[in-house]
Amino acid sequence: MKASKSVFTRSVTTNRSIATKSIATKLMTTASVGALLMGMTAVAQADNWRYAHEEYEGDVQDVFAYAFKEHIEENSDHTIQVYRFGELGESDDIMEQTQNGILQFVNQSPGFTGALIPEAQIFFIPYLLPTDEETVLTFFDESKAINEMFPALYAEQGLELLKMYPEGEMVITTDEPISSPEDMRNKKIRTMTNPLLSETYDAFGATPTPLPWGEVYGGLQTGILDGQENPIFWIESGGLYEVSPHLTFTGHGWFTTAMMANQDFYNGLSEDDQTLVQEAAQAAYDHTIEHIKGLADEALESIQAASDEVTVTRLNEEQIQAFRDRAPQVEEAFLKMTGDKGQELLEQFKADLEAVTNQ
Ligand code: 6CS
């Protein structure tokens, strides 16, 4: 058992709790959340910081958030209140609350931020990142594109980017086994809500269907959707295998996420507190990277133990090539959407990848 799991208890979410969370999410508007939190501000101390993320108890973003909280609280008098998925709305809601200064910290994935910061869609160019975990982790640690160029892009939206990190390799789940772009024809595949991911699934031969997370389980259950993509730990945690049981490892990308602060809040901190926040983000990152090692294998074992219906297809090189052949058109679409800035980022991204691949 991983150290992180013994510290932060993990719970598997049931269908019913997902449905309940989804309904609660719909009922809770950004305005009502704002009013609720503003009310709390009146009684809360200035050093009680609010931090929302997109996942459930024990999931990767939750592990990061609690490690961040632990570091802040052990090294200062400040406290952190963590809000999980659904408590304050969908991913776009918590981003809006952070930009408005209602929340101090947020974890939002480029899958959603791509609509706000087009360059963040770079993670959805298929086959850009390798599948080898060690290489990917070194890339995130050392990449100039990640650690120097992205902070400037987030700053344009009033956000202080603190960390970007991978959560796991993307796996496609569908209602029947697939092994080629032809098998994807007419399949309505849910994507996170950024335009480039729609281009990817279009290129893969499917019908992309962008939706917020709260709609996914129900969509698969009712047949409105035929499939989706996510890392294995989330396919287990969200119970997606129950309603979308055929898993395909295509090797086309990683689920990446980002943790950030409202920039006005961050700039208003004392130098000591800025250092504390940076150190807490680094400690949370180190802890989370250890947590994700082996997580996918462990989650896949749990899925296979829980369901006889599940099939797992690992595409061979030739089958992967059929999908990889469709990547250039997505890269072109990325460049069209992002212009010179996107081009510069992509060039640096590729140079950084080459540097870690040749190590
Ligand atoms: O597919 C999604 O929308 C969700 N997937 C993960 C792994 N985290 C949060 C995100 O909302």
Side-chain angles (χ1 to χ4, degrees):
M1 180 178 284
K2 283 181 215 353
S4 47
K5 283 196 182 164
S6 60
V7 180
F8 308 117
T9 319
R10 185 141 192 258
S11 74
V12 173
T13 312
T14 62
N15 310 353
R16 206 172 7 180
S17 65
I18 288 175
T20 313
K21 280 167 187 163
S22 174
I23 291 162
T25 302
K26 285 198 184 105
L27 291 177
M28 198 168 284
T29 64
T30 297
S32 65
V33 169
L36 179 76
L37 293 179
M38 286 304 191
M40 287 161 63
T41 308
V43 286
Q45 302 218 335
D47 60 0
N48 180 23
W49 296 332
R50 294 183 286 266
Y51 176 157
H53 66 74
E54 302 169 321
E55 298 182 350
Y56 302 116
E57 182 181 352
D59 288 331
V60 177
Q61 291 181 22
D62 199 49
V63 166
F64 189 107
Y66 273 84
F68 181 81
K69 172 182 165 75
E70 193 175 289
H71 187 98
I72 296 281
E73 293 181 354
E74 273 178 6
N75 293 283
S76 74
D77 291 334
H78 302 310
T79 54
I80 301 273
Q81 172 74 46
V82 176
Y83 297 92
R84 297 183 174 122
F85 175 79
E87 292 179 34
L88 300 178
E90 280 282 359
S91 181
D92 285 348
D93 298 316
I94 57 177
M95 175 54 96
E96 199 180 314
Q97 290 152 22
T98 306
Q99 287 186 297
N100 290 342
I102 296 167
L103 297 174
Q104 284 71 45
F105 298 100
V106 71
N107 197 135
Q108 190 188 53
S109 305
F112 296 109
T113 319
L116 185 71
I117 304 172
E119 293 82 358
Q121 298 175 109
I122 197 166
F123 296 103
F124 301 98
I125 299 174
Y127 299 101
L128 190 56
L129 286 172
T131 48
D132 179 62
E133 187 177 77
E134 254 337 289
T135 310
V136 170
L137 295 179
T138 313
F139 170 73
F140 274 84
D141 259 348
E142 298 181 3
S143 163
K144 186 176 167 203
I146 298 281
N147 298 302
E148 292 176 34
M149 292 174 88
F150 265 118
L153 294 167
Y154 277 70
E156 287 171 17
Q157 299 297 330
L159 299 162
E160 181 73 24
L161 180 63
L162 294 168
K163 279 288 169 201
M164 278 187 153
Y165 57 98
E167 295 194 31
E169 184 186 336
M170 282 292 201
V171 174
I172 300 177
T173 72
T174 38
D175 55 343
E176 48 188 0
I178 55 143
S179 56
S180 68
E182 287 68 39
D183 293 340
M184 298 283 268
R185 197 170 301 136
N186 295 328
K187 294 250 175 267
K188 292 184 291 300
I189 304 292
R190 178 269 175 166
T191 61
M192 287 178 283
T193 52
N194 74 81
L196 197 74
L197 195 48
S198 290
E199 296 281 342
T200 299
Y201 275 89
D202 213 27
F204 283 177
T207 306
T209 312
L211 284 173
W213 167 247
E215 311 287 325
V216 182
Y217 190 96
L220 292 165
Q221 194 171 35
T222 55
I224 291 169
L225 298 169
D226 302 315
Q228 61 87 44
E229 62 161 23
N230 253 306
I232 291 284
F233 87 85
W234 188 252
I235 292 167
E236 186 222 350
S237 165
L240 293 172
Y241 64 94
E242 297 162 355
V243 287
S244 191
H246 301 289
L247 279 52
T248 307
F249 287 76
T250 47
H252 70 279
W254 283 72
F255 187 99
T256 295
T257 197
M259 185 267 185
M260 65 211 86
N262 171 292
Q263 204 170 39
D264 288 342
F265 155 76
Y266 181 83
N267 288 341
L269 292 175
S270 67
E271 229 172 86
D272 282 354
D273 277 348
Q274 285 186 356
T275 304
L276 172 73
V277 164
Q278 292 289 348
E279 286 174 354
Q282 186 61 46
Y285 176 85
D286 294 343
H287 180 76
T288 306
I289 294 306
E290 284 310 307
H291 173 78
I292 66 165
K293 289 182 185 163
L295 183 63
D297 291 343
E298 204 178 299
L300 186 57
E301 258 176 49
S302 305
I303 289 172
Q304 288 179 310
S307 167
D308 291 336
E309 224 196 315
V310 167
T311 66
V312 178
T313 305
R314 292 181 189 272
L315 299 188
N316 63 32
E317 255 317 302
E318 196 184 329
Q319 291 167 324
I320 286 178
Q321 195 55 43
F323 284 94
R324 192 184 275 122
D325 284 345
R326 301 177 179 227
Q329 69 193 78
V330 184
E331 186 171 312
E332 255 172 56
F334 172 78
L335 292 173
K336 237 185 233 153
M337 285 177 194
T338 56
D340 289 348
K341 265 205 265 179
Q343 169 119 35
E344 205 189 324
L345 182 73
L346 183 60
E347 278 167 16
Q348 186 62 51
F349 207 92
K350 286 183 176 175
D352 296 345
L353 275 169
E354 210 180 305
V356 293
T357 309
N358 294 333
Q359 265 177 17

